[in-house]
Amino acid sequence: MKTGRNLAITDVRVIVSSPGRNFVTVKIVTESGIYGVGDATVNGREMAVATYLQEHVAPCLIGRNAHDIEDIWQYLYKGVYWRRGPINMACVGAVDMALWDIKGKAADLPVYELLGGKSRRAVTTYAHATGNDVTETLDQAARLISEGFQTIRLQSAVPGMEGSYGVMGDKKDYFEMQSSRPLPPEQPWSTRKYMNSVEDLFRQARARFGPDVQLLHDVHSRLTPIEAARLGKMLEPYDLLFLEDAVAAENQESYRIVRDHTTTPLAIGEVYNTIWDCKDLIQNQWIDYIRTAATHAGGITGLRRIADFAAIYHVRIAPHGAPDLSPICYAAQSHIGLWAPNFGIQEFVGFGSAQSAEVFRHDLRIENGMIHVGESAGLGVDFDEEAAARYPYKRSYLPVSRLEDGTLWSW
Ligand code: GCO
Ligand code: MG
């Protein structure tokens, strides 16, 4: 097998499959036969990414040296003229992951060794507890704690509000799965009802679990800055690890108001695409955790750059880990999590459905709430194209939110 300096790319395959849910996967093949895999899934917009990769990215990669990860990153970022954006950056991210996978296989080393080696034994995660009422959520949290998780995200249905974020309802796999519905479902939102119910969840949680368990909560961008400030203050007695996405922050300056009023640690970043999206938040120290994902923020190269920048300002990484991130992204983030000196925590909702396990084979293992990365060269995850062909793409949408008077709101 030829593994020398020049490893020409001979094929770029883009596969959209639905093993339990939709994933966009890229497979980059080199002349030596070594190939790498990357995740380009953008939830609810899968075909836009797949077309971008297939039509615009793949032809430009043929013949390039797969070892030139940085140059290819710049070529797909600066070189396209249209910088940033979720579709473009998911493609950059997927190609980047696949190239790191190839480099690891060519060097016969796991990717974390290429990044600088391990900074810790394993990658600490937080799990999700959700329920239709506080007791159901806390029973679920108790189960997770007994499995060894020490950090739990709590979400509970808001009384009198149908379809609260993070609650399973009648969904078997995950609360966001919408494939049985033809168009985006609409869910009502009431800030008042939410603000009047959320404190009770954390009061009961602390009373039941004591001070040692770490707790957190995702607001899913539904509050204004001053409302978020009030929520942060309200939750201070319950000592959260962080409050996630309290406010949508295209305008990063919004977080100044939240920060000025509360010591509850703040986290944001899952919808961000680049280091520029989080620059002001990080350098002004308005947040404590940056939650960008390898898939959505430019792959391993993008995330590594954000992590190093964040480290200067005491901000730690806490990468997004919802089920729409494929096991390839989980693997990439686990390698980064093992290496990054300022790693905080990894979101974890399981490694996916039984169908997904047929398609993505990986050597990650969860034990006592920590992800252990195997010793395989590269990312340690393979993609079975034949198995994927058994699960064709199904159009699927995320829900949208409206206030009770019908005004469109952040979902
Ligand atoms: C999380 C997220 C998810 C997102 C989803 C969108 O914290 O895990 O907020 O639940 O809504 O990944 O695609
Ligand atoms: Mg979130």
Side-chain angles (χ1 to χ4, degrees), residues 103-176:
K103 199 185 274 297
K105 288 175 179 168
D108 197 24
L109 288 171
V111 166
Y112 66 80
E113 296 289 10
L114 305 181
L115 291 169
K118 287 187 188 183
S119 298
R120 53 193 58 78
R121 280 181 289 114
V123 177
T124 303
T125 69
Y126 68 86
H128 289 193
T130 89
N132 291 312
D133 56 39
V134 172
T135 307
E136 204 178 294
T137 303
L138 297 188
D139 287 350
Q140 163 83 352
R143 276 194 293 280
L144 292 164
I145 293 166
S146 72
E147 287 170 25
F149 289 94
Q150 289 163 23
T151 309
I152 317 282
R153 183 183 101 161
L154 301 178
Q155 309 291 141
S156 194
V158 176
M161 209 175 77
E162 229 180 273
S164 315
Y165 168 77
V167 177
M168 290 284 248
D170 57 359
K171 318 241 170 34
K172 287 189 201 68
D173 296 320
Y174 194 60
F175 49 86
E176 291 166 354

Side-chain angles (χ1 to χ4, degrees), residues 126 244 269-271 290-294 296 318-325 329-330 333 346-347:
Y126 68 86
E244 174 180 330
E270 62 181 51
V271 303
I290 184 70
R291 300 196 60 259
T292 41
H296 301 127
H320 187 201
D324 45 304
L325 301 157
C329 177
Y330 260 98
Q333 292 182 172
Q346 170 64 55
E347 181 179 17

Side-chain angles (χ1 to χ4, degrees), residues 32-187:
S32 67
I34 294 180
Y35 62 86
V37 291
D39 175 33
T41 310
V42 175
N43 204 359
R45 293 294 183 268
E46 294 83 1
M47 298 314 277
V49 203
T51 307
Y52 186 96
L53 274 168
Q54 190 74 63
E55 282 300 308
H56 304 293
V57 175
C60 304
L61 295 181
I62 305 300
R64 283 178 195 283
N65 183 359
H67 276 307
D68 295 345
I69 298 179
E70 188 62 52
D71 184 66
I72 291 175
W73 198 99
Q74 300 295 341
Y75 181 77
L76 295 177
Y77 181 79
K78 285 185 192 153
V80 299
Y81 187 66
W82 308 108
R83 300 178 188 212
R84 308 161 74 176
I87 305 301
N88 180 35
M89 291 310 290
C91 297
V92 175
V95 168
D96 183 82
M97 274 179 227
L99 297 181
W100 279 97
D101 192 21
I102 290 171
K103 199 185 274 297
K105 288 175 179 168
D108 197 24
L109 288 171
V111 166
Y112 66 80
E113 296 289 10
L114 305 181
L115 291 169
K118 287 187 188 183
S119 298
R120 53 193 58 78
R121 280 181 289 114
V123 177
T124 303
T125 69
Y126 68 86
H128 289 193
T130 89
N132 291 312
D133 56 39
V134 172
T135 307
E136 204 178 294
T137 303
L138 297 188
D139 287 350
Q140 163 83 352
R143 276 194 293 280
L144 292 164
I145 293 166
S146 72
E147 287 170 25
F149 289 94
Q150 289 163 23
T151 309
I152 317 282
R153 183 183 101 161
L154 301 178
Q155 309 291 141
S156 194
V158 176
M161 209 175 77
E162 229 180 273
S164 315
Y165 168 77
V167 177
M168 290 284 248
D170 57 359
K171 318 241 170 34
K172 287 189 201 68
D173 296 320
Y174 194 60
F175 49 86
E176 291 166 354
M177 300 288 289
Q178 304 300 336
S179 46
S180 55
R181 308 182 203 207
L183 290 171
E186 304 209 347
Q187 296 176 349

Side-chain angles (χ1 to χ4, degrees), residues 198-355:
V198 65
E199 187 180 2
D200 188 42
L201 173 62
F202 285 88
R203 190 188 299 114
Q204 290 199 40
R206 276 291 167 230
R208 181 159 166 186
F209 302 125
D212 290 341
V213 173
Q214 301 198 103
L215 303 174
L216 58 101
H217 180 66
D218 189 351
V219 184
H220 227 248
S221 305
R222 306 217 175 154
L223 299 179
T224 65
I226 202 66
E227 289 164 351
R230 190 172 141 246
L231 178 64
K233 277 174 87 160
M234 193 197 283
L235 296 180
E236 275 171 24
Y238 314 104
D239 186 21
L240 269 60
L241 179 73
F242 60 68
L243 186 63
E244 174 180 330
D245 287 347
V247 180
E250 288 97 329
N251 176 10
Q252 298 174 44
E253 182 94 25
S254 301
Y255 266 72
R256 182 198 296 275
I257 296 174
V258 192
R259 191 59 148 186
D260 279 352
H261 288 91
T262 179
T263 57
T264 292
L266 303 170
I268 189 169
E270 62 181 51
V271 303
Y272 290 167
N273 319 132
T274 68
I275 195 166
W276 302 101
D277 298 326
C278 29
K279 173 180 157 286
D280 299 350
L281 288 164
I282 292 174
Q283 76 182 9
N284 289 302
Q285 301 183 65
W286 289 330
I287 56 167
D288 302 277
Y289 292 86
I290 184 70
R291 300 196 60 259
T292 41
T295 297
H296 301 127
I300 291 173
T301 301
L303 217 56
R304 181 181 61 168
R305 210 163 270 146
I306 292 170
D308 276 339
F309 176 60
I312 302 173
Y313 300 98
H314 303 277
V315 174
R316 288 183 276 177
I317 62 165
H320 187 201
D324 45 304
L325 301 157
S326 91
I328 303 173
C329 177
Y330 260 98
Q333 292 182 172
S334 300
H335 284 262
I336 292 172
L338 264 192
W339 153 75
N342 56 330
F343 169 76
I345 200 157
Q346 170 64 55
E347 181 179 17
F348 181 75
V349 287
F351 289 121
S353 61
Q355 297 101 302

